[in-house]
Amino acid sequence: MSKSTIKNDIAKIKSEIQKWYDELKQLNQEKSSYEMQIKELEMMPVNRTDFGVLLKESIAQEASNYTKNIAQSLLQPEFVDKEMQEKYNGFKAMNERSLKDFEWCKNNQRFEWLFNAFRSHKNLITPSNSTETRQMLYWLIPDVVYEKNHAYYQC
């Protein structure tokens, strides 16, 4: 190989590297432009129609979470250990309990109604925190929750 061939090869390599550098610079400029457009879109206010769609989707998701809690409460025992389930009969899965468990009474006088007798590890009827309460409302009356919220935000 001659010196001129090596110099030509090095020049070609430098030229290719410069092309790649220019292409990378162009791609970074395009990326910055797209990032700015995304940021502008993210900062745009949501119109009422779109907000209504988002609200409905959010209500449906929260209701779905509550449905999962119901299924877990009704079909899964609090204790996996069968011995513990026998010892604490009230903590069996709902579909494994006897009818007597659901007719829970004291001195032959009914003082609790059916749902309070559930005594499950997920309290479905009297939620213990605001998230469970919200999920329960979304599950029970999603249309009412939507209409009240949507009407409020129409002002």
Side-chain angles (χ1 to χ4, degrees):
M1 278 194 162
S2 69
K3 279 188 174 184
S4 66
T5 307
I6 293 173
K7 285 184 180 182
N8 285 339
D9 289 344
I10 290 173
K12 287 179 186 176
I13 291 171
K14 284 183 177 181
S15 173
E16 282 299 313
I17 289 173
Q18 185 61 45
K19 285 180 189 176
W20 289 346
Y21 175 77
D22 292 343
E23 187 177 326
L24 178 63
K25 187 177 178 181
Q26 176 66 29
L27 289 172
N28 281 333
Q29 287 174 348
E30 288 177 25
K31 178 185 169 213
S32 294
S33 172
Y34 291 138
E35 286 173 344
M36 286 175 47
Q37 289 175 12
I38 289 170
K39 190 168 193 122
E40 284 177 23
L41 289 171
E42 288 176 339
M43 298 307 291
M44 286 176 60
V46 177
N47 66 38
R48 289 185 178 121
T49 304
D50 290 342
F51 179 77
V53 172
L54 294 172
L55 183 60
K56 278 191 178 197
E57 288 174 359
S58 178
I59 289 169
Q61 180 60 47
E62 292 283 338
S64 174
N65 291 340
Y66 192 72
T67 302
K68 291 174 192 171
N69 288 343
I70 289 172
Q72 179 183 13
S73 180
L74 296 177
L75 303 176
Q76 293 178 355
E78 182 165 6
F79 301 114
V80 178
D81 181 7
K82 288 286 186 191
E83 187 176 310
M84 290 295 284
Q85 289 178 33
E86 291 302 320
K87 183 176 179 181
Y88 299 101
N89 190 41
F91 292 104
K92 286 183 179 179
M94 295 296 173
N95 62 338
E96 294 177 357
R97 294 186 190 179
S98 67
L99 182 59
K100 183 179 178 194
D101 285 337
F102 295 107
E103 293 178 348
W104 194 32
C105 61
K106 184 176 184 180
N107 299 327
N108 292 327
Q109 291 189 342
R110 190 174 207 107
F111 72 101
E112 298 285 345
W113 64 302
L114 178 65
F115 289 115
N116 283 342
F118 272 5
R119 297 174 298 181
S120 68
H121 53 289
K122 281 283 189 184
N123 194 342
L124 302 173
I125 305 306
T126 53
S128 61
N129 61 50
S130 61
T131 300
E132 289 177 358
T133 302
R134 186 179 66 246
Q135 289 175 347
M136 182 179 71
L137 288 172
Y138 292 175
W139 185 76
L140 290 170
I141 50 172
D143 294 333
V144 172
V145 172
Y146 171 79
E147 291 301 327
K148 291 271 188 186
N149 278 284
H150 201 256
Y152 175 79
Y153 289 110
Q154 289 293 331
C155 299

